[in-house]
């Protein structure tokens, strides 16, 4: 999410007031990276349960926390390894109730086990830690804690840690491949403030001493999606009756100072957007918990069942709130389906972004879908492939200096559109649904979260269609340059030929409109031709079904001072 939001950075900085401490200590370089290779010890365990008790102390911009992590060994292992920011002071570490020796030099904590674990053995690691966590220099793009103040002067606090990882908040294995089976959260805040978080609400307890604990439980959460949100919130709640037969709650926590009419108008979009996603992809993945949104002092982030919303109810002529819709898309593309590696991040961002023009059409017709797609093509960079085919860190992918950057959003969406135009709506729907749920017939209760890669998606598309679309994935995803469609005229014949960045064969069929009549030109071997009468008006790809280099867009992009 953090890269695409950069286009609104200037607006956000001008309109969002935050109380940040620029002089705060810095986390290590290791901690500020995420999605790095796991150690052998980390690969030899799974996390069955995380129990987090976190007291948030606004006056000190600090937390006081205890984390208990229950592991099961999947292979023999002699020590436990987790990540935790060195900004925290660790007061106690124990394994199964016994004090343990530990080190945490750069933020990768190694804990000695009293005895080695055999495959199938379980153990519980307890870590007590406290201190001032990293302050986000520019959330959500440069993450950490946001210590802000609501219009009424109350504390307004949020976390946004996608780019830097879960170790800014809790001791974890900082990899998308290390999702815990369950996380229980006990968030203690000053009485009078609310603390909505991930999963199901298990009740709150007022301790009578000025502090109240809010309890939550979430199944299979994405590691960076565990989120703190604290503020003087009012709440809107309603039940959503799904087209799949189940019912689950929708919640929106918004500042009490907001215009109630604006909050109600945004909340009214929830069921409309849910119905679109359920019709287009499949059942809401977390219907046994909730669909939740919370207003935050930063622009937004896809926190599982508690998406952050900071768009300030802006209208932009789309007919829907784009931020709400984009973050909701990540419940499917990011939280239900999680990338196997950052190199596959376009499965989150590209497919999620494609849901916006599809939703524009769902609401208001083709004109609005095509408007959004055209704007996306103008914003392409085409400097790096969307997918490299090698393991990457998030920074290498999201930063345009080293990787595709915003192209994982916009180019990914345009590639998805061309794929849908090529294989048809029915096959595209089946392929995407199978990608997300692991089956083409998802129903509430018959699926669980899963990891996916780009080769997985290709295999699914091939299985659904009965054809090999390796050429499509290679030509679009694994090449930086857009395919070029050359046109030649010899007498009454229009010749067409494709050239891709790597020179590979690209048999993408092309529609040609001749005096208002559309015909499809097969491009066997990447070449084709069609008869064109003299004086006829010819329009290649009249419905813009095919992603390709357009000279007029490139000329516009190259204009000085644009």
């Amino acid at each position: 999410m953090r890269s695409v939001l950069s286009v609104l950075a200037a607006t956000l900085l001008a309109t969002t007031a935050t109380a940040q401490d620029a002089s705060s200590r810095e986390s290590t370089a290791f901690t500020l990276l995420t999605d790095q290779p796991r150690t052998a010890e980390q690969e030899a365990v799974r996390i069955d349960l995380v129990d987090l008790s976190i007291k948030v102390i606004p006056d000190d911009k600090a937390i006081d926390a205890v984390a208990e992590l229950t592991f099961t060994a999947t292979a023999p292992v002699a020590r436990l390894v987790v990540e935790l920011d060195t900004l925290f002071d660790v007061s106690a570490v124990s394994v199964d109730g016994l004090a343990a020796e530990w080190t945490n030099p750069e933020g990768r904590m190694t804990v000695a086990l009293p005895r080695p674990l055999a495959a199938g053995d379980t153990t519980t690691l307890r870590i007590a830690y406290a201190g001032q966590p990293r302050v986000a220099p520019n959330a959500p793009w440069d993450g950490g804690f946001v210590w802000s103040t609501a219009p009424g002067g109350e504390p307004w606090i949020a976390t946004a840690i996608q780019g830097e990882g879960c170790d800014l908040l809790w001791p974890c294995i900082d990899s998308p491949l290390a999702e815990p089976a369950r996380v229980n959260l006990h968030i203690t805040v000053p009485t009078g403030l609310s603390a909505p978080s991930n999963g199901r609400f298990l009740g709150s307890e007022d301790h009578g001493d000025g502090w109240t604990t809010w309890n939550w439980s979430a199944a299979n959460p994405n590691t960076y999606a565990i989120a703190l949100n604290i503020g003087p919130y009012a709440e809107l709640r309603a039940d959503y009756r799904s087209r799949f037969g189940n019912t689950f709650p929708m919640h929106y926590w918004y500042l009490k100072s907001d215009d109630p009419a604006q909050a109600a108008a945004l909340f009214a979009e929830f069921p409309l957007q849910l119905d679109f996603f359920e019709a287009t992809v499949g059942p809401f993945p977390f219907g046994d918990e909730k669909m939740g949104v919370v207003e935050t002092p930063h622009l937004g982030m896809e926190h599982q069942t508690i998406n952050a919303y900071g768009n300030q109810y802006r209208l932009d002529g789309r007919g829907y709130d784009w931020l709400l819709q984009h973050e909701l898309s990540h419940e499917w593309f990011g939280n239900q389906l999680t990338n196997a590696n950052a190199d596959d991040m376009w499965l989150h961002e590209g497919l999620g972004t494609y849901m916006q023009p599809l939703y524009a059409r769902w609401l208001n017709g083709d004109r609005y879908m095509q408007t959004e797609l055209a704007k996306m093509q103008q914003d392409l960079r085409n400097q790096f492939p969307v997918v490299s085919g090698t393991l990457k860190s998030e920074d290498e992918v999201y930063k345009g200096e080293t990787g595709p950057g915003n192209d994982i959003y916009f180019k990914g969406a345009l590639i998805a559109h061309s794929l849908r135009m090529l294989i048809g709506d029915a096959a595209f729907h089946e392929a995407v649904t199978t990608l997300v749920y692991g089956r083409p017939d998802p129903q509430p209760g018959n699926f669980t979260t899963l990891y996916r890669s780009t080769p997985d998606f290709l295999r699914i598309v091939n299985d659904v269609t009965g054809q090999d679309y390796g050429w499509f994935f290679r030509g679009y995803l694994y090449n930086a340059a857009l395919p070029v469609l050359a046109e030649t005229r010899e007498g009454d014949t229009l010749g067409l030929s494709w050239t891709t960045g790597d020179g590979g064969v690209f048999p993408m069929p092309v529609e040609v409109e001749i005096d208002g009549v559309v015909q499809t030109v097969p491009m066997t071997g990447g070449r084709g031709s069609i008869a064109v009468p003299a004086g006829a008006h010819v329009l290649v790809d009249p419905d813009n079904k095919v992603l390709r280099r357009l000279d007029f867009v490139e000329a516009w992009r190259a204009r000085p001072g644009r």
Side-chain angles (χ1 to χ4, degrees):
M1 182 59 199
R2 58 201 179 107
S3 184
V4 72
L5 295 180
S6 62
V7 299
L8 295 179
T11 302
L12 180 69
L13 291 174
T15 58
T16 302
T18 58
Q20 304 297 299
D21 180 3
S23 64
S24 61
R25 295 178 297 159
E26 185 57 281
S27 306
T28 68
F30 173 83
T31 294
L32 295 180
L33 294 176
T34 189
D35 195 20
Q36 299 180 87
R38 291 175 293 165
T39 69
E41 295 88 351
Q42 291 175 329
E43 292 182 342
V45 297
R46 70 169 185 263
I47 305 177
D48 300 318
L49 176 66
V50 176
D51 193 89
L52 291 176
S53 298
I54 303 175
K55 184 176 185 179
V56 181
I57 309 167
D59 289 347
D60 298 334
K61 296 183 182 177
I63 65 172
D64 190 350
V66 174
E68 294 186 353
L69 289 76
T70 300
F71 299 88
T72 294
T74 57
V77 64
R79 56 186 185 174
L80 298 175
V81 179
V82 296
E83 277 79 55
L84 181 64
D85 197 341
T86 57
L87 293 185
F88 295 116
D89 297 318
V90 176
S91 58
V93 176
S94 62
V95 175
D96 296 331
L98 301 175
E101 295 182 358
W102 58 276
T103 60
N104 191 32
E106 294 295 323
R108 175 164 271 174
M109 177 182 283
T110 300
V111 181
L113 287 169
R115 58 175 180 81
L117 300 179
D121 289 348
T122 63
T123 192
T124 298
L125 170 65
R126 182 182 187 275
I127 301 173
Y129 61 102
Q132 292 183 318
R134 183 181 197 250
V135 173
N138 186 23
W141 306 279
D142 196 351
F145 273 65
V146 181
W147 303 93
S148 186
T149 303
E154 306 94 336
W156 188 20
I157 302 161
T159 56
I161 56 177
Q162 178 184 2
E164 294 73 24
C166 48
D167 47 345
L168 292 189
L169 174 60
W170 57 284
C172 60
I173 297 176
D174 187 15
S175 166
L177 298 176
E179 290 183 359
R182 180 165 294 280
V183 174
N184 294 329
L185 291 133
H186 317 284
I187 305 167
T188 300
V189 300
T191 299
L193 299 179
S194 300
S197 193
N198 309 87
R200 291 185 296 112
F201 183 48
L202 302 182
S204 61
E205 179 183 2
D206 187 336
H207 301 292
D209 58 358
W211 296 92
T212 297
T213 299
W214 292 62
N215 301 293
W216 301 88
S217 183
N220 304 306
N222 207 323
T223 52
Y224 71 79
I226 298 299
L228 301 181
N229 306 280
I230 299 154
Y233 290 121
E235 180 186 358
L236 289 170
R237 184 195 185 281
D239 285 338
Y240 174 75
R241 299 187 183 278
S242 166
R243 61 174 55 218
F244 289 91
N246 60 322
T247 299
F248 55 86
M250 304 176 296
H251 298 263
Y252 177 41
W253 286 272
Y254 62 97
L255 291 180
K256 294 177 180 178
S257 56
D258 287 356
D259 179 348
Q262 287 186 316
L266 185 74
F267 189 63
E269 293 195 39
F270 286 24
L272 302 177
Q273 295 191 12
L274 280 168
D275 188 50
F276 162 77
F277 280 108
E278 290 204 321
T280 305
V281 186
F284 178 68
F286 309 105
D288 56 348
E289 296 180 351
K290 69 177 183 301
M291 182 267 192
V293 177
V294 59
E295 189 173 8
T296 55
H298 64 84
L299 187 56
M301 185 63 67
E302 62 274 16
H303 298 142
Q304 189 167 311
T305 71
I306 190 68
N307 284 333
Y309 174 83
N311 202 32
Q312 301 178 13
Y313 309 108
R314 293 187 184 94
L315 299 178
D316 58 9
R318 298 171 189 249
Y320 65 95
D321 192 295
W322 77 270
L323 182 73
L324 178 71
Q325 206 268 358
H326 181 82
E327 302 302 3
L328 182 57
S329 76
H330 283 305
E331 298 286 32
W332 287 263
F333 305 104
N335 296 333
Q336 166 60 29
L337 171 164
T338 300
N339 59 290
N341 179 257
D343 195 45
D344 304 300
M345 192 62 75
W346 82 281
L347 297 175
H348 293 200
E349 305 294 11
L351 293 177
T353 298
Y354 186 44
M355 295 299 112
Q356 291 184 221
L358 288 183
Y359 188 55
R361 185 189 186 282
W362 175 276
L363 290 177
N364 298 308
D366 279 342
R367 174 188 297 177
Y368 293 90
M369 177 183 74
Q370 293 294 351
T371 296
E372 294 209 20
L373 292 171
K375 179 63 171 65
M376 289 178 186
Q377 180 140 6
Q378 290 178 342
D379 289 333
L380 300 187
R381 295 179 64 251
N382 303 312
Q383 298 298 308
F384 294 89
V386 173
V387 181
S388 71
T390 61
L391 297 179
K392 296 288 187 180
S393 69
E394 277 205 18
D395 270 5
E396 290 175 309
V397 172
Y398 274 95
K399 291 184 177 178
E401 302 82 12
T402 58
N406 277 356
D407 279 2
I408 63 174
Y409 298 84
F410 305 133
K411 193 172 183 179
L414 291 163
I415 291 169
H417 181 69
S418 288
L419 179 62
R420 182 170 74 90
M421 295 297 97
L422 178 62
I423 68 177
D425 282 349
F428 182 79
H429 173 78
E430 182 177 346
V432 170
T433 298
T434 303
L435 176 74
V436 170
Y437 299 96
R439 58 192 302 162
D441 58 346
Q443 295 289 328
N446 75 356
F447 59 87
T448 188
T449 55
L450 46 74
Y451 297 104
R452 289 299 201 190
S453 68
T454 303
D456 288 335
F457 193 23
L458 172 59
R459 174 183 53 78
I460 291 167
V461 169
N462 289 347
D463 288 346
V464 168
T465 61
Q467 300 183 51
D468 184 1
Y469 284 100
W471 61 268
F472 179 97
F473 277 62
R474 186 200 67 249
Y476 278 130
L477 290 165
Y478 293 90
N479 281 281
L482 289 176
V484 174
L485 182 62
E487 303 175 27
T488 59
R489 291 289 291 269
E490 293 186 9
D492 292 342
T493 300
L494 170 65
L496 300 170
S497 62
W498 284 111
T499 301
T500 61
D502 62 0
V505 176
F506 193 71
M508 173 70 81
V510 179
E511 290 184 350
V512 177
E513 180 184 293
I514 303 171
D515 284 338
V517 178
V518 177
Q519 303 177 59
T520 298
V521 180
M523 298 291 287
T524 305
R527 296 179 179 275
S529 62
I530 188 172
V532 176
H537 176 69
V538 177
L539 183 58
V540 175
D541 190 27
D543 293 323
N544 299 287
K545 293 181 177 181
V546 179
L547 177 59
R548 59 191 173 107
R549 178 186 170 94
L550 298 173
D551 290 341
F552 70 89
V553 172
E554 298 304 318
W556 174 80
R557 285 182 51 80
R559 185 181 62 188
R562 183 185 66 80

